[in-house]
Amino acid sequence: MKYTKFFSAFSVLLISFAVCSCGSKTYSLKDGTFSGEGEGRNGTVEVSVTITGGKVTNAEILNEKETDGIADNAKIQIINQFIEEGNTKNIDVVSGATITSNALLDALDAALAKSKNENPIETSYSDTECDIAIIGAGGAGLTAATEAASKGAKVIVLEKMNFVGGNSNFSTGGINAAYTKEQERLGIKDSKEVFFNDTMKGGKFLNDPDLVHKLVDESAGIIEWLQSPLIGADLSDVGMFGGATNKRIHRPKGGSAIGAHLVPLLHKAALAQGADIRLKNKVIDIIEENGNPCGVRVSYAGGEYTVRAKAIIIATGGFGANPNLVVFYQAALEGFGTTNQRGATGDAFPMVEKFNAELVQMEQIQTHPTVVKGTGIMITEAIRGNGAILVNKAGRRFVNEIETRDIVSAAILKCPEKSAFIIFDQKIRESLKAVEDYAKQGLLTEGNTLREVAEKTQIDAVALEYTIQEYNRFVEQKKDGDFGRNPSSMERPISQGPFYAIEVEPAVHHTMGGLKINTKAEVINKSGQSIPGLFAAGEVTGGIHGANRLGGNAVADYCIFGKIAADSAIEYVKSAQ
Ligand code: MEZ
């Protein structure tokens, strides 16, 4: 009797435990329903996974706040594939929904891990050394990692989030560059001088002119570097953007979003060159020896460890997702939404206090004027550059739509609803592939006629029809009689249905202040000297954009100064040997 009981219990155990190989992890699965969590764009994603007979038989999302559209596709695709395959090994992130996909994969892995018989074999880290430690795997960090590793440096990249790319994942418009081969091929006349002047004017001349000269001088070269076989980017489409005199924003063919194109390429290139990229590894301190930086202290799920490094590059991004810090520096931004990913919290600033690092222009915080009301989803300026207009609820234009972001944002905030509508037609939609992502996310209000769009959005229909008629006349005359808009952004009338509207409002987009650097991307202290072995690039730095960044200059900034930071760090490492 005793033995019978033992054997039946044993056979149940045999049935309900099975071995599942999940990537590098090996699980023995136990029957039951297990929950797991991952961090998504808007908060925690919680899933449950049911194991029956040692196999995954069901998976469900219990809680999540991710946006609709592409995120929904990602959810359905990933859950279905997971149920089919029983693990996350071969599941790719869904393009355009990287953060949601990673959150879901993390949550599924966490649930699977709970059903395991033995601990999954997690990567564990211990004290180590390298030539260059890079803090942050956003655009600047990945660029620096690719450059440094391609030149033979031993590079470790520490990223606190569960995904690479940071805010660069969401960059849509493109990368500014002047006097490029692509402009020449397309017959666009531009010059470094005009690019410099546009950037300084856009920044209200608060920009550091040396840094702007560097940005402009290196811009054509960075396009070639990004297009080289090392990265393999497509930047063949050149468009018009706010505050620019000439068409100079470079983007993939057809005007698709640059972030979704460039981030995976940079990630792949950095890995191919041998950079060691560690996700969910948060730098909690920069350590010092004789008063100089000599490494970083890192915290991860398994504990803490130290990476001693000959040089350190700070590429932690801005602080647009830290409302307390935003309001501390700009009280007027209380209550504003943000386009930023959750990790953009300005973690580096307290870590560099002990080195007396200088912070500049922290109060210069940019709002992006066209962010879908109540979400953080930015609608690229490129759509206005390609011909869309802005109207208020009364159906009237109220600003030169491709003015700089500060001016357009202020004009929208003066509208009674503090929001406005982007209006465009089928031809403009077809001119910019990025719009298809908005359509997939269900962000477009569509009508066969302008009147239908007006009815659906409660815009004054008669006024809207008149506004569009007037605007189309301006397009024909190549002269905006109302607001003096640059004719290069008025190449398409709004005349071919279906017509579209998106309601938008300004939201925090780019924090232009940060660590003071020089043209070698060396971090400067309060006495004006460079801090030995400490470099910085991207949105964590301040001074390049002055009071207002031009659209397309963030990608230029992170690529150019990310690459410079890597080159300077390598030089420093060599000279210190
Ligand atoms: O540089 C940017 O912030 C940018 C290009 C944004 C956009 O409107 O697409």
Side-chain angles (χ1 to χ4, degrees):
M1 193 66 184
K2 248 181 171 179
Y3 288 104
T4 324
K5 260 192 177 168
F6 171 77
F7 273 111
S8 59
F10 186 60
S11 52
V12 168
L13 277 175
L14 271 182
I15 292 165
S16 52
F17 282 89
V19 173
C20 163
S21 177
C22 302
S24 62
K25 302 170 186 176
T26 301
Y27 298 101
S28 296
L29 301 180
K30 179 165 74 184
D31 280 5
T33 297
F34 305 90
S35 65
E37 291 183 357
E39 286 310 306
R41 179 168 181 180
N42 300 325
T44 304
V45 174
E46 195 189 348
V47 300
S48 74
V49 171
T50 303
I51 313 287
T52 319
K55 288 204 170 89
V56 170
T57 49
N58 195 23
E60 278 171 41
I61 299 177
L62 302 177
N63 265 312
E64 52 94 11
K65 295 194 202 84
E66 304 305 279
T67 43
D68 294 334
I70 297 187
D72 277 344
N73 289 342
K75 290 174 232 163
I76 296 165
Q77 222 168 290
I78 289 174
I79 290 287
N80 285 346
Q81 197 178 341
F82 175 76
I83 295 171
E84 206 175 297
E85 297 185 9
N87 61 60
T88 60
K89 196 172 136 192
N90 297 316
I91 306 182
D92 288 331
V93 297
V94 175
S95 163
T98 314
I99 298 178
T100 305
S101 304
N102 277 318
L104 209 44
L105 293 172
D106 277 356
L108 292 166
D109 267 342
L112 268 187
K114 280 190 196 159
S115 82
K116 70 195 182 293
N117 192 21
E118 294 158 11
N119 275 340
I121 304 151
E122 288 281 359
T123 316
S124 67
Y125 298 106
S126 52
D127 292 354
T128 186
E129 296 184 347
C130 67
D131 294 324
I132 303 173
I134 300 177
I135 316 177
L142 291 176
T143 305
T146 304
E147 172 72 355
S150 76
K151 294 202 166 154
K154 182 178 178 206
V155 175
I156 298 181
V157 186
L158 291 320
E159 169 57 57
K160 70 174 178 177
M161 304 303 285
N162 56 350
F163 55 89
V164 298
N167 276 347
S168 305
N169 283 307
F170 308 125
S171 62
T172 310
I175 170 169
N176 284 342
Y179 213 58
T180 65
K181 289 190 179 145
E182 296 295 355
Q183 284 176 314
E184 196 184 343
R185 181 179 56 79
L186 296 164
I188 300 164
K189 295 216 177 330
D190 197 12
S191 72
K192 290 185 187 178
E193 196 188 352
V194 179
F195 184 13
F196 177 84
N197 290 340
D198 286 347
T199 300
M200 294 298 290
K201 185 170 169 227
K204 303 199 174 105
F205 299 95
L206 286 183
N207 327 48
D208 177 331
D210 290 342
L211 294 179
V212 179
H213 271 304
K214 194 75 184 166
L215 182 90
V216 167
D217 289 347
E218 300 293 327
S219 66
I222 205 75
I223 299 290
E224 286 179 31
W225 185 76
L226 291 168
Q227 289 176 323
S228 75
L230 181 67
I231 317 285
D234 166 13
L235 298 168
S236 56
D237 188 304
V238 185
M240 191 68 196
F241 245 61
T245 303
N246 302 311
K247 287 186 180 176
R248 71 168 68 97
I249 193 155
H250 293 62
R251 54 200 181 194
K253 188 163 177 261
S256 336
I258 191 154
H261 176 62
L262 206 49
V263 168
L265 290 176
L266 285 170
H267 186 199
K268 204 168 141 208
L271 292 173
Q273 296 306 314
D276 175 356
I277 301 176
R278 303 179 177 188
L279 298 182
K280 295 198 266 183
N281 276 247
K282 180 178 161 70
V283 169
I284 50 174
D285 197 15
I286 298 177
I287 55 173
E288 61 172 312
E289 199 169 65
N290 306 323
N292 291 332
C294 67
V296 292
R297 187 85 187 138
V298 187
S299 163
Y300 79 115
E304 287 185 14
Y305 64 98
T306 296
V307 178
R308 281 190 72 89
K310 294 171 191 152
I312 297 160
I313 298 175
I314 304 176
T316 45
F319 57 95
N322 184 338
N324 293 335
L325 211 52
V326 165
V327 172
F328 176 80
Y329 286 113
Q330 259 311 337
L333 294 174
E334 172 92 60
F336 274 60
T338 181
T339 61
N340 285 213
Q341 56 95 15
R342 276 176 307 103
T345 47
D347 302 350
F349 303 128
M351 290 188 229
V352 292
E353 263 174 27
K354 62 176 145 224
F355 305 110
N356 232 1
E358 170 110 270
L359 300 185
V360 289
Q361 302 180 342
M362 295 294 281
E363 70 291 355
Q364 302 297 347
I365 300 175
Q366 173 176 80
T367 55
H368 192 291
T370 58
V371 178
V372 181
K373 211 173 167 187
T375 70
I377 304 171
M378 176 192 73
I379 301 298
T380 180
E381 208 169 297
I383 197 166
R384 286 172 276 141
N386 278 18
I389 62 165
L390 287 171
V391 300
N392 54 22
K393 232 175 182 153
R396 304 202 176 283
R397 287 177 72 207
F398 53 90
V399 70
N400 167 358
E401 293 85 352
I402 61 146
E403 252 299 356
T404 50
R405 291 174 179 174
D406 52 336
I407 293 174
V408 180
S409 291
I412 294 177
L413 292 172
K414 275 199 197 133
C415 296
E417 297 79 18
K418 299 195 184 326
S419 62
F421 294 87
I422 304 178
I423 304 286
F424 57 101
D425 73 350
Q426 183 63 19
K427 276 261 179 273
I428 294 170
R429 174 174 174 170
E430 282 166 14
S431 74
L432 196 70
K433 277 195 184 147
V435 179
E436 296 318 309
D437 285 344
Y438 306 142
K440 278 188 212 149
Q441 292 176 75
L443 302 175
L444 311 184
T445 301
E446 179 177 337
N448 286 327
T449 59
L450 284 167
R451 184 161 286 270
E452 198 183 326
V453 170
E455 273 160 15
K456 285 183 179 168
T457 50
Q458 291 168 354
I459 299 173
D460 184 311
V462 176
L464 180 65
E465 281 172 343
Y466 176 77
T467 298
I468 299 290
Q469 199 181 318
E470 272 296 278
Y471 176 75
N472 287 345
R473 199 167 57 80
F474 296 152
V475 171
E476 212 175 297
Q477 293 170 351
K478 294 188 174 21
K479 188 172 165 39
D480 176 5
D482 285 345
F483 297 101
R485 178 170 162 155
N486 187 323
S488 298
S489 68
M490 297 171 58
E491 290 169 346
R492 296 173 187 88
I494 300 175
S495 55
Q496 189 189 305
F499 298 91
Y500 305 96
I502 309 175
E503 189 170 8
V504 289
E505 64 185 358
V508 171
H509 185 53
H510 193 100
T511 51
M512 289 158 297
L515 299 174
K516 185 173 171 63
I517 57 163
N518 61 16
T519 54
K520 292 173 83 181
E522 293 169 335
V523 179
I524 303 300
N525 68 18
K526 292 194 173 97
S527 313
Q529 291 150 341
S530 55
I531 300 168
L534 195 60
F535 305 86
E539 198 173 337
V540 71
T541 67
I544 298 175
H545 308 292
N548 181 63
R549 177 176 66 73
L550 293 190
N553 273 356
V555 182
D557 174 0
Y558 82 61
C559 290
I560 290 168
F561 285 95
K563 186 164 175 284
I564 290 173
D567 291 340
S568 299
I570 288 173
E571 207 178 295
Y572 177 82
V573 169
K574 281 188 185 151
S575 71
Q577 271 166 359

